[in-house]
Amino acid sequence: MLFRGMAAVPVLASLLIMVTSSGFAAHNVRAAENVPIDQVFSTTDSLVTVSDAAADAKECLDGLCWKPQTFAVECRRPKRKLIDAIVRFPSAKPVGIPQNDTVNVEWYAATTPDGKICTAPAMIVVHESGSGMTVGRLVARGLRDRGMHAFMVQLPFYGSRRPRGIDVDDQNFGVVMEQAIADVRRARDAIAVLPGVDSDRIHLQGTSLGGFVAATTAGLDDAFHNVFILLAGGDLPKLVATGQRETAELKVLLEQQGFVGERMLALLNRFEPNRLAHRISEDRLWLFTASFDTTVPPIHADSLAKAAGLASDHHIRMPATHYSGVIFLPIVLDQIAEKSGGRTMVTQ
């Protein structure tokens, strides 16, 4: 299911090996020496009081936004190698499950040659639907190797946020999606107070499921400098009605939860990216689409591009499927880094 995470696709594992061995630097596995482990910072939501002349957009914003609050941000030592710290803060939209309602963000820190964190632009990374968050972590490490601080947000009920004995498929999908959007937006303010983060250059990237979350989050307000959407788009009701693989399974799950027909359409419309796409600055939004994608067909990226008024040179099309597109990831990350203040790595 979309929030449970799909079984591994065999071709994906082999493609990830190919990508990792071509176009990615081998990052030093030691943690950065001056990451603020066990330190606590205080910050406040910068979410502005949102409004929109379009009644439909205003209705969408009213359902997704929350009253800004002051909250604590703490850094903890990670259990996994290659991660420099775990950044934790309370969810802006808790669902009543304490373990899930503490957001965990994996920090892949930009460092100097001698292994100390340095001042650099930052990227919030929103992972795909796979339970291992493999592509999200690959993106984060790739951007870290390109001179950027990368922060991968573990979405609700993923990673350390998934409690034992609780089936995510029993949770209300709409509530969980709204929490995911709020968590990603709040992550921007959480990382802005961390040492080494250039708070004037905080960007947003999302892949597949994460791309839909990122696209809607970007429409809340003008919080992110640049936004990069990979293998995602808009028109969620049509996608769930006609899509294959993950989206087909999501449809079955929603029907089992009683969301059928107009009720399903109303649910998906609550966080539909196209309702807010006009609020994203078109010169700071880029889409990366797989031309032969059947999981998220290109028509959905085209739909988001149209809603955002996106110029054609901001919509990059790859001759790939939803899964084989990973072979283009080094080139995509080079383009993202170049536009975001990082450095490129792939030999031209």
Side-chain angles (χ1 to χ4, degrees):
M1 307 303 180
L2 198 55
F3 264 95
R4 169 175 283 177
M6 300 299 297
V9 179
V11 70
L12 182 58
S14 60
L15 287 171
L16 288 175
I17 293 173
M18 292 169 55
V19 170
T20 305
S21 61
S22 60
F24 285 85
H27 183 81
N28 195 327
V29 296
R30 70 179 182 183
E33 294 178 7
N34 53 337
V35 171
I37 299 296
D38 295 330
Q39 293 187 34
V40 179
F41 305 84
S42 180
T43 189
T44 302
D45 290 310
S46 65
L47 182 71
V48 298
T49 303
V50 292
S51 185
D52 199 287
D56 181 67
K58 182 63 167 60
E59 179 187 52
C60 185
L61 291 166
D62 288 343
L64 295 176
C65 292
W66 65 96
K67 184 178 179 180
Q69 301 172 340
T70 297
F71 62 96
V73 180
E74 60 178 328
C75 289
R76 291 193 175 182
R77 194 173 305 280
K79 296 180 180 179
R80 295 174 60 96
K81 292 182 178 180
L82 301 179
I83 301 172
D84 293 296
I86 297 294
V87 180
R88 292 161 56 92
F89 55 88
S91 174
K93 286 204 167 190
V95 299
I97 302 175
Q99 184 174 338
N100 174 69
D101 289 344
T102 297
V103 184
N104 288 266
V105 180
E106 300 176 6
W107 184 3
Y108 300 81
T111 60
T112 61
D114 60 352
K116 296 182 179 180
I117 61 171
C118 59
T119 300
M123 184 73 70
I124 300 287
V125 176
V126 194
H127 62 80
E128 77 287 5
S129 66
S131 59
M133 302 169 284
T134 305
V135 176
R137 284 172 169 158
L138 189 62
V139 168
R141 293 199 300 269
L143 291 174
R144 182 257 309 276
D145 293 341
R146 287 164 170 78
M148 302 182 67
H149 291 289
F151 295 87
M152 195 200 76
V153 180
Q154 293 181 356
L155 291 174
F157 297 99
Y158 275 84
S160 301
R161 301 181 66 178
R162 185 172 183 178
R164 290 184 179 181
I166 293 181
D167 190 342
V168 64
D169 288 349
D170 292 335
Q171 306 303 310
N172 183 294
F173 179 72
V175 171
V176 174
M177 279 292 287
E178 290 174 358
Q179 182 181 42
I181 292 163
D183 291 346
V184 171
R185 175 58 184 86
R186 177 170 272 191
R188 187 260 174 234
D189 296 322
I191 71 163
V193 299
L194 298 178
V197 172
D198 181 349
S199 60
D200 291 328
R201 293 187 295 172
I202 297 178
H203 313 278
L204 177 62
Q205 186 278 330
T207 303
S208 193
L209 164 66
F212 286 97
V213 173
T216 302
T217 303
L220 296 182
D221 61 357
D222 195 28
F224 298 96
H225 192 73
N226 286 316
V227 180
F228 304 92
I229 306 300
L230 178 60
L231 304 176
D235 199 355
L236 275 169
K238 182 176 181 178
L239 176 63
V240 174
T242 61
Q244 301 178 27
R245 295 180 182 264
E246 289 96 328
T247 49
E249 294 192 15
L250 174 60
K251 181 182 179 182
V252 173
L253 170 64
L254 293 179
E255 289 175 342
Q256 291 173 347
Q257 293 183 348
F259 293 100
V260 180
E262 291 299 321
R263 191 162 181 250
M264 182 186 294
L265 297 179
L267 172 73
L268 297 172
N269 198 48
R270 280 161 50 182
F271 37 85
E272 165 58 51
N274 285 353
R275 299 178 73 187
L276 304 179
H278 64 281
R279 297 171 56 84
I280 308 172
S281 178
E282 67 272 13
D283 62 336
R284 291 189 277 128
L285 171 65
W286 279 266
L287 302 184
F288 296 85
T289 302
S291 298
F292 307 111
D293 195 338
T294 58
T295 301
V296 184
I299 189 174
H300 294 280
D302 294 341
S303 174
L304 180 63
K306 181 178 180 180
L310 201 63
S312 60
D313 61 345
H314 278 235
H315 191 175
I316 296 89
R317 302 175 190 272
M318 303 171 289
T321 68
H322 196 76
Y323 302 99
S324 66
V326 72
I327 65 176
F328 293 96
L329 196 52
I331 298 172
V332 169
L333 293 183
D334 266 358
Q335 293 188 36
I336 290 174
E338 184 179 19
K339 293 172 173 61
S340 304
R343 59 175 179 266
T344 60
M345 292 177 59
V346 176
T347 302
Q348 299 297 323

